[in-house]
Amino acid sequence: MTSTRTAVIALLERYFELSAARAAEVLQQLRSHHPEAWIYPATVEAIYQGRYRWVSIAQILALWQRRGQINCHFSADYERLLLGEVPEQPDRITVETRLPAIAMTLPWVPEQPGEAFVPAQDQSGLTERLYKTLVKAGSDRTD
């Protein structure tokens, strides 16, 4: 589970804002109570559901244990996005290859015409950068 362990710790650091030492402690605690093979999919599932507290992983694992099976809702493409393996984009827009999944959730749509863009609160500022990239790409079009 070395590479899976590394992936879980990386996801815990990135999406759950835990230090490497704390992430390792959380992983050890989860491993002591739940099947080891379920921890990585539960971590991805928590991120997919927008639940960014490590307790959410434990709750998902407890639910899966009661049911006796894993119940993932995310796709393999979503998992690749989390790990930074984004395929080449066929259009002219260049997107950062290490997009956090949070930027791919809900697009911002103005409620009133002319409403100013107010990006959703995220720690990376990626939502705002993605929006600016899309606006620039749209203004470059010569339709």
Side-chain angles (χ1 to χ4, degrees):
M1 180 161 179
T2 305
S3 62
T4 305
R5 181 183 187 282
T6 304
V8 170
I9 289 176
L11 292 173
L12 287 170
E13 288 177 22
R14 184 172 189 177
Y15 292 97
F16 296 82
E17 297 181 357
L18 299 175
S19 67
R22 181 67 178 130
E25 288 175 22
V26 167
L27 178 59
Q28 187 60 36
Q29 184 177 357
L30 292 172
R31 290 170 71 186
S32 67
H33 297 291
H34 303 285
E36 193 168 336
W38 291 10
I39 295 172
Y40 172 75
T43 304
V44 175
E45 183 69 19
I47 296 167
Y48 181 76
Q49 292 180 14
R51 299 169 64 185
Y52 300 105
R53 298 182 65 205
W54 74 265
V55 173
S56 299
I57 300 169
Q59 291 169 344
I60 290 169
L61 287 165
L63 175 67
W64 289 355
Q65 272 190 313
R66 280 194 305 275
R67 292 183 177 172
Q69 65 181 3
I70 292 177
N71 185 16
C72 296
H73 297 93
F74 61 89
S75 67
D77 289 336
Y78 182 82
E79 185 179 0
R80 279 192 295 275
L81 281 172
L82 286 182
L83 298 175
E85 300 173 14
V86 179
E88 288 295 319
Q89 301 294 323
D91 52 11
R92 296 181 304 172
I93 300 173
T94 56
V95 180
E96 290 183 34
T97 57
R98 295 197 50 90
L99 277 177
I102 191 144
M104 303 304 287
T105 53
L106 295 174
W108 175 83
V109 179
E111 293 188 17
Q112 302 293 327
E115 184 179 336
F117 171 68
V118 179
Q121 194 69 20
D122 71 355
Q123 284 96 22
S124 66
L126 184 63
T127 304
E128 187 172 3
R129 288 195 315 260
L130 182 60
Y131 175 79
K132 288 178 181 176
T133 302
L134 293 172
V135 168
K136 183 177 181 327
S139 65
D140 290 344
R141 297 177 76 176
T142 57
D143 293 36

